[in-house]
Amino acid sequence: MEKDTGLLLYRNMLLIRMSEERLAQSRQAGLVYGACHTYVGEEAVATGVCAHLTQADMVFSTHRGHGHALAKGVSPFEVMAELYGRETGCSQGRGGSMHLFKPEVGLMGTSGIVGPCILQAAGAGYTFKLLGKPNVAVAFFGDGASNNGAFHEGINLAAIYKLPVLFVCENNLYATEVPSAYASGNPDIYQRAIGYGIPGVKVDGNDAWAMFLAAGEAVRRARAGEGPTLIEAKTYRTRAHSEGMRDVGYRTQEEVEAWKARDPIKLLRDRLMGEHVADEDDIDRIHNEVGALVLDDHNHAASSPMPKGQDALRHVYFEGA
Amino acid sequence: MEKDTGLLLYRNMLLIRMSEERLAQSRQAGLVYGACHTYVGEEAVATGVCAHLTQADMVFSTHRGHGHALAKGVSPFEVMAELYGRETGCSQGRGGSMHLFKPEVGLMGTSGIVGPCILQAAGAGYTFKLLGKPNVAVAFFGDGASNNGAFHEGINLAAIYKLPVLFVCENNLYATEVPSAYASGNPDIYQRAIGYGIPGVKVDGNDAWAMFLAAGEAVRRARAGEGPTLIEAKTYRTRAHSEGMRDVGYRTQEEVEAWKARDPIKLLRDRLMGEHVADEDDIDRIHNEVGALVLDDHNHAASSPMPKGQDALRHVYFEGA
Amino acid sequence: MKELTYTVAAREALDEEMARDPRIFVMGEGIGKRGGNFNTTLGLYEKYGPTRLCDTPISERGFVGLAVGAAMSGSIPVIDFMMVDFILDAMGEIINQMAKMQYMSSGRLRMPMVLRGCIGIGGAAATHHSGSYYSIFSNIPGLRVIVPTTPADVKGMFRTALRGNDPVIMLEHKNLLSNKGPVPDGDYTTPFGQARIARAGKHVTAVGVALTVQKCLQAADQLAKQGIEVEVIDPRSTSPLDIATILQSVKKTGRLMIVDDAFEPCGFGAEVSAQVGTHGFDDLDAPIRRLSGAFAPTPYSPPLENEIVPSVERIAAALGELVKE
Amino acid sequence: MKELTYTVAAREALDEEMARDPRIFVMGEGIGKRGGNFNTTLGLYEKYGPTRLCDTPISERGFVGLAVGAAMSGSIPVIDFMMVDFILDAMGEIINQMAKMQYMSSGRLRMPMVLRGCIGIGGAAATHHSGSYYSIFSNIPGLRVIVPTTPADVKGMFRTALRGNDPVIMLEHKNLLSNKGPVPDGDYTTPFGQARIARAGKHVTAVGVALTVQKCLQAADQLAKQGIEVEVIDPRSTSPLDIATILQSVKKTGRLMIVDDAFEPCGFGAEVSAQVGTHGFDDLDAPIRRLSGAFAPTPYSPPLENEIVPSVERIAAALGELVKE
Ligand SMILES: Cc1ncc(C[n+]2csc(CCOP(=O)(O)OP(=O)(O)O)c2C)c(N)n1
Ligand SMILES: Cc1ncc(C[n+]2csc(CCOP(=O)(O)OP(=O)(O)O)c2C)c(N)n1
Ligand SMILES: [Mg+2]
Ligand SMILES: [Mg+2]
């Protein structure tokens, strides 16, 4: 493992983790108005994938999108301000947790509806093909989304047009409380790739390095004009589906603990240290840097102004360049 | 091959063929008002499947549905009268070619929209499961439909609930003029069954006996509570997509001729005769019987009354038992 | 009579009808053991088991289409959508299949089924969880569209839906769910197409729909102090629409305002206005007014969200002005 | 000026704009080599190739969603639906994504894209190939809905759509496709939200939409012989709706009828009626009338199909009566 890359992955995962934990606290404190789906436990997926992307590459995400936004380069400040309903948020307070937009860095949107991101990523891939751009588009979505018609139509379309797209299914075993083993005739989502004639890859979604490698190959294929890849990242969310929701009755405490023991941040740290790629100091430095950044961004976000009511009517239609 | 079954399949295929050829003529003569998608060349599929069904089993079909209706026991008279817009048609003149209904014999409807029949068959399967009935539901649809989200969602639902359903994909290589080899990332539709954890079976859709056997096993599974089967019948329509449509530019004459040489009726006759299951007399008798029936039904249909205008407003809502 | 919340009243109807009729089953995401995101099916899984309380994948189009086939073949499906916003992926099945099936089959198939879901703006749910869409459904022949506002009505109308033969869309405003109200004992049903006079008055007629009925009542309370008597009408179903009750009220008041927090153009208010404009032309002493939600997607942040729906204050002010016209 | 059919005029707009702007591409079933079921793209495949004239699987939701992503990322997609009926499977993508994207992104994303499809009842197409749905689309903020009736308008408005930044639904009535009419030379555009006075008159105003504009003109011809001068207005777009032109006409005539062969409740006619009822209240000498298609799915057989749409005769009779009121 390369030190720079290893530490970058570590830092970015930690940035997501600390931001999410802060958001969870903020929600309890009443600073978050609507829903709040955290990415805690799944950080390796977005981090491993986005490490290969430039700002001109595009990410399309879903309701559990904070991690994707942060990994794609939206600042914790802009994400937190958005959830706090502030005019400084990445969606100017219009969206909250499920509608994060920052096209300037290629975060093309998260969505409160499950499914569309798969299609939209194919669409960005189509633009890249049409306009001859060297970019890739990524859709992040859950196991639940894989049973939606958008999955079928979107991946098939991308396959037949050989579009530069990564379809990254974050299989965290549940859609809210419905187990994917119940909801999917075949819970090995990656095998569905057979039906579309494209590669389907199963990855340990808690292993940042494995994610990084798998995504690297898929990005390479995409940029080389070889078409899309379906990546199934087997992972787990260790917090409730949404902050404030009851988290019992559908999964066992043992299951949660077993996955916590495989925490992606911990796993990567163990590996960095175990392989002597990094030492305690490196890790501490990152923790300090990220901790300070997140705290700062939170404070700044929490003291940002609310949007003005009359702005609610703007941008329904194009208003000029 | 059993003689009774062999001849029954032969007769039913011929009934479809002769009815379709009559409808094609009638359309030229101006007796058919709207679209007219014939089933010529694909008769073995519906015939082989429906031979296993009782009236309480249910068929859900698509725009190319004449053959399914006839195979399920709707009379040529009722189908022709419907296309001629008569009040005696199986849909009382409300539907035409793409909206054939005769729930009394388990023909639950054909549809002008591609896709829904897949879902509705799953729904009938659900009723059978809920009410403890020993029946099966069948969805017939094209290769084109297999790229629609309804295919994905419907088959997955039937798979996870283990519903008694046959999903019969009639892969005739084209959706209108779009080749399935172009439109499907993997044109072997049956392989998509892997994604749902159910059996996917490839059958020569021009071989009535092969269809009969494959459907028999799928029906057995369904009735035994073992869940749905996806059957891909490789077949071909030898007439235009719809009567009156141009039929050039998207397929070669050689291809059409090659498939015509494998005409399912001819293939079955050759086999019946070749294996000495039936003789020339048996075949002639069937031709005479079916020919007379179709002519009679056509005459009767063509002289049936038109519906009355004011009836157009009936049955929008339930009108009482 | 007992006091129940809206949600509990609806659940009682479902429970009682499921006990009566084994053909009824419920499908939705998390409506099994979990009991529904809004407790719509709490406790029913234990009673009726997994086939009748059936959890689904996120396949909205799929299970609506499945339910269509189930109704065609003799079941009575209830689809619990959680939020009505998710229904849009199933519009093809709803409009082209469910709504048309009785017609296409010349009445030989019946379509007893209910699609239910929460509607409305509120709680910073943002634009993918704040839709309403009754206006759209009311444009479609073959559908019944009900928007009960009280616990008594939701119970009685849900029962009517479950005993009927037409497909019904039942829309429950999320801000009404925890409201309590008296619910009659026994086996009553509440018909569709019969409006309720929620408050009698003589100076102006206010027609609301779902939550805005309640807001109109609050506005009427305020105006009563100024001597203005508002007649508040709750249509209870938008299709069929009981225009007769509204016309009768306008005959008395001469003035009509329709208050709707959903989108205005081609909406429910337009339909009421058009019908009253035609059939109550001579009764009108002033132009009909509509007070509607902003023609914009729903923003998240409270100051933005508040801006786009008619508040009680704005309703009261508008009614006050209309009386003076 | 030259004489072109509606279809050819629309195709010219597409061809010329595609030549100007390499970001435009077309998707649909059979719109490539085949040139479209209605010849909407005939000859363009040879000119622009398979990436810009892209045949699709039967994945309506999929390719609308794809087009949304394409527009978000800098292309200008045109989706050719053949029949608008097939659009319903994509309603979620249209309403929750396409229409809301500019809003959700605070105007940072633009959504230049066009969904086009044929509408209308006729030719025994039966209920799955006879829908219209402009009323439903007009209820949704963020969409532009255009229903051009003449070759000149379809060319000018399609061009406007392709040069704009908002998502446009362009609905082409199938019975207008082979109509010929004069089309201006050169690079003209026709704005949205500007109605056309298709015929001037002073006794009564008739507002049609798509095919019924033509039917109103025929009815007006008949009535002219009886000395009744009908002013016929073609709104050209239902969203935005140019109510000013209609109000001005009603100021002159005092009478208004909206003729629409689609479903009446919460429809286009209701919206026009509501707005004129409010803003033209004092100008009205008689109640506004709506003459609409039957509230029923579309049957196949000609005697049934004829029954459910307003004929020229029925329009003329209704206008004649309204003038006497
Ligand atoms: C079309 C649609 N249906 C239902 C919902 C409600 N919903 C929100 S999140 C969720 C579960 C999603 O599961 P999955 O795709 O596995 O993602 P995860 O939450 O596990 O990351 C559901 C059902 C929705 N947002 N959109
Ligand atoms: C949802 C939908 N999209 C498009 C159409 C138009 N259409 C009618 S038949 C057809 C091709 C169907 O192909 P396939 O499913 O392979 O059936 P086949 O005609 O080959 O039997 C198309 C695109 C439709 N009826 N429904
Ligand atoms: Mg999940
Ligand atoms: Mg085909």
Side-chain angles (χ1 to χ4, degrees):
Chain A
M1 197 185 299
E2 252 197 339
K3 177 163 183 174
D4 281 1
T5 310
L7 289 182
L8 183 77
L9 294 176
Y10 190 82
R11 179 197 176 274
N12 288 351
M13 290 203 288
L14 195 68
L15 185 76
I16 297 173
R17 174 69 53 88
M18 288 186 153
S19 298
E20 291 289 36
E21 288 178 341
R22 168 55 68 177
L23 281 168
Q25 282 172 41
S26 292
R27 193 176 178 286
Q28 275 220 314
L31 270 169
V32 175
Y33 295 97
C36 181
H37 307 92
T38 75
Y39 198 60
V40 173
E42 310 188 16
E43 292 89 346
V45 185
T47 303
V49 172
C50 292
H52 297 282
L53 306 182
T54 71
Q55 287 204 348
D57 298 321
M58 295 185 182
V59 162
F60 297 81
S61 159
T62 184
H63 60 288
R64 192 175 306 288
H66 310 163
H68 309 133
L70 293 165
K72 192 65 178 54
V74 185
S75 69
F77 165 66
E78 288 168 297
V79 171
M80 292 194 268
E82 186 56 33
L83 274 91
Y84 303 168
R86 308 302 159 127
E87 139 186 306
T88 51
C90 62
S91 306
Q92 303 181 9
R94 292 168 165 234
S97 171
M98 293 193 274
H99 306 267
L100 306 175
F101 282 84
K102 186 148 187 190
E104 296 84 350
V105 301
L107 193 265
M108 304 305 287
T110 67
S111 168
I113 303 290
V114 168
C117 62
I118 299 175
L119 307 173
Q120 291 167 12
Y126 205 87
T127 291
F128 300 149
K129 179 178 165 182
L130 176 75
L131 304 181
K133 295 198 181 174
N135 300 112
V136 303
V138 180
F140 289 105
F141 53 93
D143 49 288
S146 76
N147 292 318
N148 192 276
F151 174 93
H152 185 66
E153 297 191 359
I155 297 184
N156 187 56
L157 286 164
I160 67 171
Y161 303 139
K162 277 198 172 298
L163 302 180
V165 186
L166 271 64
F167 297 103
V168 182
C169 179
E170 303 176 322
N171 187 347
N172 61 8
L173 304 186
Y174 298 92
T176 313
E177 302 192 2
V178 178
S180 68
Y182 166 90
S184 299
N186 178 352
D188 277 326
I189 309 297
Y190 74 95
Q191 292 188 5
R192 291 185 173 170
I194 297 166
Y196 315 111
I198 64 164
V201 185
K202 180 168 86 168
V203 189
D204 177 352
N206 281 30
D207 179 341
W209 193 248
M211 277 306 310
F212 178 76
L213 294 180
E217 167 58 11
V219 167
R220 186 203 61 71
R221 286 191 77 239
R223 295 206 206 273
E226 295 168 25
T229 303
L230 171 62
I231 295 177
E232 180 187 4
K234 306 268 188 189
T235 184
Y236 202 77
R237 64 167 161 74
T238 50
R239 300 187 64 92
H241 169 72
S242 185
E243 289 307 302
M245 254 176 73
R246 185 193 60 168
D247 193 30
V248 294
Y250 68 101
R251 60 182 188 178
T252 62
Q253 198 51 44
E254 294 78 63
E255 184 180 283
V256 179
E257 292 309 327
W259 280 94
K260 277 189 177 165
R262 299 197 65 252
D263 183 284
I265 296 177
K266 183 177 159 305
L267 284 189
L268 184 60
R269 176 168 39 193
D270 290 353
R271 180 143 173 211
L272 286 166
M273 310 270 282
E275 298 183 8
H276 304 293
V277 177
D279 59 22
E280 202 86 46
D281 277 358
D282 292 321
I283 301 290
D284 286 349
R285 198 172 5 87
I286 291 176
H287 276 258
N288 292 338
E289 182 246 321
V290 170
L293 173 66
V294 169
L295 181 62
D296 219 53
D297 278 12
H298 156 76
N299 288 333
H300 184 183
S303 61
S304 278
M306 284 288 181
K308 274 157 279 311
Q310 72 264 28
D311 286 344
L313 299 177
R314 295 203 49 203
H315 303 302
V316 179
Y317 295 97
F318 181 66
E319 294 180 359
Chain B
M1 195 187 301
E2 251 195 341
K3 176 161 182 175
D4 282 2
T5 309
L7 288 182
L8 183 78
L9 294 177
Y10 191 81
R11 178 194 176 276
N12 288 353
M13 287 203 290
L14 195 67
L15 185 77
I16 297 172
R17 174 69 53 89
M18 287 184 153
S19 298
E20 292 288 35
E21 286 178 342
R22 168 55 68 177
L23 281 168
Q25 281 171 42
S26 292
R27 191 174 180 288
Q28 276 221 313
L31 270 168
V32 174
Y33 295 98
C36 180
H37 306 93
T38 76
Y39 199 60
V40 172
E42 309 188 15
E43 294 89 347
V45 185
T47 303
V49 172
C50 292
H52 296 282
L53 306 183
T54 72
Q55 288 204 346
D57 297 322
M58 295 184 183
V59 162
F60 297 81
S61 158
T62 184
H63 60 286
R64 193 176 304 289
H66 311 163
H68 309 133
L70 293 165
K72 193 66 178 52
V74 184
S75 70
F77 166 66
E78 288 168 298
V79 171
M80 291 193 267
E82 186 56 32
L83 274 92
Y84 302 170
R86 309 303 160 127
E87 137 186 307
T88 51
C90 62
S91 306
Q92 304 181 9
R94 291 169 165 235
S97 171
M98 292 192 276
H99 306 268
L100 306 174
F101 282 84
K102 187 150 187 189
E104 298 83 350
V105 302
L107 192 265
M108 305 305 287
T110 67
S111 168
I113 303 291
V114 168
C117 62
I118 299 174
L119 307 174
Q120 291 167 11
Y126 206 88
T127 291
F128 301 150
K129 179 178 165 181
L130 177 75
L131 304 180
K133 296 198 181 174
N135 300 113
V136 303
V138 180
F140 290 105
F141 54 93
D143 49 288
S146 76
N147 293 319
N148 191 276
F151 173 94
H152 184 66
E153 297 191 1
I155 298 184
N156 188 55
L157 286 163
I160 66 172
Y161 303 140
K162 278 198 171 297
L163 302 179
V165 186
L166 273 63
F167 297 103
V168 182
C169 179
E170 304 176 322
N171 187 346
N172 61 9
L173 305 186
Y174 298 92
T176 314
E177 304 191 1
V178 178
S180 69
Y182 166 90
S184 300
N186 177 351
D188 278 325
I189 310 297
Y190 75 95
Q191 291 187 5
R192 291 185 174 171
I194 296 166
Y196 315 111
I198 64 164
V201 185
K202 179 168 86 167
V203 189
D204 177 352
N206 281 31
D207 179 340
W209 194 249
M211 276 308 310
F212 178 76
L213 294 180
E217 167 57 11
V219 167
R220 185 203 63 68
R221 287 191 79 239
R223 294 206 207 275
E226 294 168 25
T229 303
L230 172 63
I231 295 177
E232 180 187 2
K234 305 268 188 189
T235 185
Y236 202 78
R237 66 169 158 72
T238 50
R239 299 186 64 92
H241 169 73
S242 186
E243 289 305 302
M245 252 174 73
R246 187 192 59 167
D247 192 31
V248 293
Y250 68 101
R251 58 183 189 178
T252 63
Q253 197 51 44
E254 295 76 65
E255 183 180 282
V256 179
E257 293 308 327
W259 280 94
K260 276 189 176 163
R262 297 197 66 251
D263 183 284
I265 296 178
K266 182 179 160 302
L267 283 189
L268 184 60
R269 177 166 42 190
D270 290 353
R271 176 140 176 211
L272 285 167
M273 309 271 282
E275 297 182 8
H276 305 293
V277 177
D279 59 21
E280 201 86 45
D281 277 358
D282 293 320
I283 300 290
D284 286 349
R285 199 171 6 87
I286 291 176
H287 275 256
N288 292 338
E289 182 246 323
V290 171
L293 173 65
V294 168
L295 181 61
D296 220 53
D297 277 14
H298 157 75
N299 288 333
H300 185 182
S303 60
S304 277
M306 283 288 180
K308 274 158 282 309
Q310 72 264 28
D311 285 345
L313 298 178
R314 294 202 51 201
H315 303 301
V316 179
Y317 294 97
F318 182 66
E319 294 181 359
Chain C
M1 283 284 193
K2 50 195 170 185
E3 288 273 318
L4 299 178
T5 65
Y6 190 95
T7 297
V8 173
R11 197 169 62 224
E12 274 197 5
L14 182 59
D15 188 4
E16 290 165 19
E17 293 305 306
M18 287 188 79
R20 276 181 78 238
D21 193 334
R23 296 171 302 169
I24 299 174
F25 70 95
V26 187
M27 275 195 162
E29 293 153 20
I31 59 80
K33 212 188 283 177
R34 185 178 171 209
N37 190 57
F38 295 111
N39 295 334
T40 43
T41 53
L42 200 70
L44 302 187
Y45 181 87
E46 290 69 25
K47 228 162 148 174
Y48 301 109
T51 303
R52 298 189 69 194
L53 271 299
C54 178
D55 273 327
T56 63
I58 307 176
S59 308
E60 278 79 6
R61 178 181 174 195
F63 55 74
V64 170
L66 184 154
V68 168
M72 291 167 75
S73 54
S75 308
I76 304 176
V78 176
I79 300 289
D80 187 332
F81 265 100
M82 191 173 357
M83 311 302 300
V84 80
D85 304 81
F86 311 148
I87 217 171
L88 296 175
D89 291 338
M91 282 305 246
E93 307 311 318
I94 292 172
I95 294 179
N96 272 328
Q97 307 295 330
M98 184 176 87
K100 292 178 176 173
M101 200 56 76
Q102 294 191 83
Y103 190 86
M104 293 192 296
S105 69
S106 318
R108 288 169 294 165
L109 293 172
R110 298 176 188 186
M111 294 301 289
M113 59 188 292
V114 182
L115 309 188
R116 67 185 295 198
C118 287
I119 60 170
I121 293 165
T127 192
H128 285 165
H129 294 73
S130 302
S132 286
Y133 303 122
Y134 34 78
S135 298
I136 286 178
F137 292 123
S138 301
N139 181 244
I140 303 299
L143 302 181
R144 305 288 189 198
V145 187
I146 66 177
V147 279
T149 61
T150 67
D153 282 350
V154 77
K155 182 165 184 184
M157 296 181 88
F158 197 4
R159 233 196 225 125
T160 300
L162 291 168
R163 294 184 187 179
N165 285 288
D166 294 322
V168 177
I169 313 248
M170 180 165 101
L171 303 174
E172 302 157 90
H173 198 294
K174 61 187 173 203
N175 289 1
L176 295 172
L177 298 182
S178 54
N179 281 7
K180 277 200 164 182
V183 173
D185 297 320
D187 186 15
Y188 74 100
T189 57
T190 308
F192 300 165
Q194 214 165 288
R196 180 174 69 92
I197 298 178
R199 176 187 179 119
K202 56 179 189 252
H203 297 122
V204 58
T205 303
V207 176
V209 53
L211 186 68
T212 54
V213 173
Q214 208 183 47
K215 288 186 174 179
C216 285
L217 287 171
Q218 290 163 350
D221 278 346
Q222 293 186 8
L223 290 168
K225 295 177 198 136
Q226 305 165 34
I228 297 172
E229 292 298 333
V230 183
E231 180 141 306
V232 179
I233 296 183
D234 174 2
R236 302 201 283 197
S237 59
T238 59
S239 178
L241 174 63
D242 175 10
I243 199 70
T245 298
I246 299 171
L247 282 169
Q248 221 159 11
S249 176
V250 172
K251 202 179 196 95
K252 182 167 63 175
T253 63
R255 288 171 159 79
L256 172 63
M257 172 170 296
I258 305 110
V259 185
D260 181 0
D261 51 20
F263 309 133
E264 185 166 286
C266 300
F268 167 75
E271 182 58 29
V272 173
S273 174
Q275 288 201 43
V276 174
T278 297
H279 305 298
F281 188 69
D282 295 327
D283 296 325
L284 287 167
D285 299 324
I288 301 169
R289 298 283 170 196
R290 288 181 287 171
L291 194 59
S292 310
F295 195 53
T298 307
Y300 164 76
S301 186
L304 300 173
E305 191 188 45
N306 290 338
E307 181 74 14
I308 64 161
V309 283
S311 62
V312 173
E313 289 62 41
R314 273 176 57 208
I315 297 169
L319 285 167
E321 268 171 43
L322 180 52
V323 169
K324 285 190 218 117
E325 253 183 79
Chain D
M1 283 282 193
K2 49 196 169 185
E3 287 274 317
L4 298 178
T5 66
Y6 190 95
T7 298
V8 173
R11 197 169 62 225
E12 275 197 4
L14 182 59
D15 188 4
E16 291 165 18
E17 292 305 306
M18 288 187 79
R20 276 182 77 239
D21 193 335
R23 295 170 304 169
I24 300 175
F25 70 96
V26 187
M27 276 196 160
E29 293 153 20
I31 58 81
K33 213 189 284 177
R34 184 178 171 210
N37 190 57
F38 295 110
N39 295 334
T40 43
T41 53
L42 201 68
L44 302 187
Y45 181 86
E46 290 68 26
K47 230 161 146 174
Y48 302 108
T51 303
R52 298 189 69 194
L53 272 299
C54 178
D55 274 328
T56 63
I58 307 176
S59 308
E60 278 79 4
R61 179 181 172 195
F63 55 75
V64 171
L66 184 154
V68 168
M72 291 167 74
S73 53
S75 308
I76 304 177
V78 176
I79 300 289
D80 187 332
F81 265 100
M82 190 171 0
M83 312 301 302
V84 79
D85 305 81
F86 311 148
I87 217 170
L88 296 176
D89 292 338
M91 282 305 246
E93 306 312 315
I94 293 171
I95 294 179
N96 272 328
Q97 307 295 329
M98 184 176 86
K100 293 177 177 174
M101 200 56 75
Q102 294 191 84
Y103 190 84
M104 294 192 296
S105 69
S106 319
R108 287 168 295 166
L109 293 172
R110 301 176 185 186
M111 293 301 288
M113 58 188 292
V114 181
L115 309 187
R116 67 186 295 198
C118 286
I119 60 169
I121 293 165
T127 193
H128 285 165
H129 294 73
S130 302
S132 286
Y133 303 120
Y134 34 78
S135 298
I136 287 178
F137 292 122
S138 301
N139 181 244
I140 302 299
L143 303 181
R144 304 287 189 197
V145 186
I146 66 175
V147 279
T149 62
T150 66
D153 282 350
V154 78
K155 182 165 185 185
M157 296 180 87
F158 197 4
R159 232 195 227 126
T160 301
L162 291 168
R163 294 184 187 179
N165 285 288
D166 294 323
V168 176
I169 314 249
M170 180 166 100
L171 303 173
E172 303 159 89
H173 198 293
K174 60 187 171 202
N175 289 0
L176 295 173
L177 298 183
S178 55
N179 282 6
K180 278 201 163 181
V183 174
D185 298 319
D187 185 17
Y188 73 100
T189 57
T190 308
F192 302 165
Q194 211 165 290
R196 180 175 67 94
I197 298 177
R199 177 187 178 119
K202 55 177 186 252
H203 298 122
V204 58
T205 302
V207 176
V209 54
L211 186 66
T212 54
V213 173
Q214 207 181 50
K215 287 185 173 178
C216 285
L217 287 172
Q218 290 164 349
D221 278 345
Q222 292 184 8
L223 290 168
K225 296 177 198 135
Q226 302 163 36
I228 298 172
E229 293 298 333
V230 184
E231 180 141 306
V232 179
I233 295 182
D234 174 1
R236 301 201 284 194
S237 60
T238 59
S239 180
L241 173 63
D242 174 10
I243 200 69
T245 298
I246 298 171
L247 283 168
Q248 218 159 11
S249 175
V250 171
K251 199 177 198 95
K252 181 167 63 174
T253 64
R255 290 172 156 80
L256 172 63
M257 172 169 297
I258 305 110
V259 186
D260 181 1
D261 51 19
F263 310 133
E264 183 166 288
C266 300
F268 167 74
E271 182 59 29
V272 173
S273 175
Q275 288 201 44
V276 174
T278 298
H279 304 297
F281 189 69
D282 295 326
D283 296 325
L284 287 167
D285 299 322
I288 300 169
R289 299 283 170 197
R290 287 181 288 170
L291 193 60
S292 310
F295 195 53
T298 306
Y300 165 75
S301 187
L304 301 173
E305 191 188 44
N306 290 337
E307 182 75 14
I308 64 161
V309 282
S311 62
V312 174
E313 289 63 40
R314 273 175 59 208
I315 296 169
L319 286 168
E321 270 171 44
L322 180 53
V323 169
K324 285 189 219 117
E325 249 182 83

